[in-house]
Amino acid sequence: MTFVLDGVHHVGITVRDLEASRAWYSDMFGLAPGPVNHGAGPELARGVQVPDARLTFSMLTVGSTRIEFLEYQEPVGEDFDRRNCDVGAAHVCFEVDDLDTAVAELSAKGAVFSSPPNTIDEGPLAGSRWAYFRDPDGIQLELWQSPR
């Protein structure tokens, strides 16, 4: 290759209500949201492949990665209805130092986990632990604890 792939700048997630998502992620994880930006026009519509797109967006920084939240005012999108096994379904995984404490604290703030924490018992990831939950828009999130 003649270019260098330096890393992942951000992961973008379309949300129903930008301010509600900014507040939920800030409250849940103690993250400071970045500024709100606005976009519209033919270049944006062509770039995002959505005719007549008009949107607002904002980023939250988690470690060295950013999560970009996008709210489309035009056209208004439909709720995502994919299962985790469906092609194109994605999730965001946050690494934590203590999964049990994180699950307890987030549960106390209203997070609903799909199951108690799971432990990988064999293979190269043995000792790793994880738990899935969803944000208010149904976006799949995961907590991950690497072996100690």
Side-chain angles (χ1 to χ4, degrees):
M1 293 180 8
T2 59
F3 63 92
V4 175
L5 190 60
D6 287 329
V8 175
H9 182 270
H10 71 271
V11 174
I13 301 173
T14 301
V15 298
R16 182 178 301 110
D17 180 327
L18 181 67
E19 287 306 319
S21 291
R22 285 165 43 97
W24 189 84
Y25 280 82
S26 295
D27 293 344
M28 195 64 64
F29 301 110
L31 301 172
V36 174
N37 304 283
H38 304 275
E43 294 84 11
L44 174 73
R46 189 171 37 257
V48 298
Q49 303 170 31
V50 177
D52 303 318
R54 186 171 57 84
L55 57 86
T56 54
F57 58 100
S58 180
M59 293 195 191
L60 292 172
T61 301
V62 182
S64 63
T65 302
R66 294 163 206 83
I67 301 173
E68 177 186 36
F69 297 104
L70 304 104
E71 178 190 345
Y72 282 79
Q73 283 79 40
E74 292 293 331
V76 174
E78 297 179 17
D79 286 349
F80 188 75
D81 65 352
R82 304 290 86 182
R83 301 170 298 163
N84 285 327
C85 62
D86 291 335
V87 175
H91 68 275
V92 176
C93 181
F94 299 105
E95 188 159 9
V96 297
D97 63 344
D98 183 334
L99 183 61
D100 293 320
T101 298
V103 167
E105 287 184 17
L106 295 177
S107 294
K109 292 180 178 182
V112 177
F113 287 82
S114 58
S115 73
N118 296 278
T119 300
I120 300 173
D121 294 323
E122 52 188 62
L125 296 175
S128 299
R129 301 180 69 224
W130 60 274
Y132 271 14
F133 65 111
R134 293 186 184 267
D135 80 356
D137 285 329
I139 295 163
Q140 186 69 72
L141 303 174
E142 179 182 10
L143 297 181
W144 181 274
Q145 179 185 316
S146 295
R148 293 183 176 164

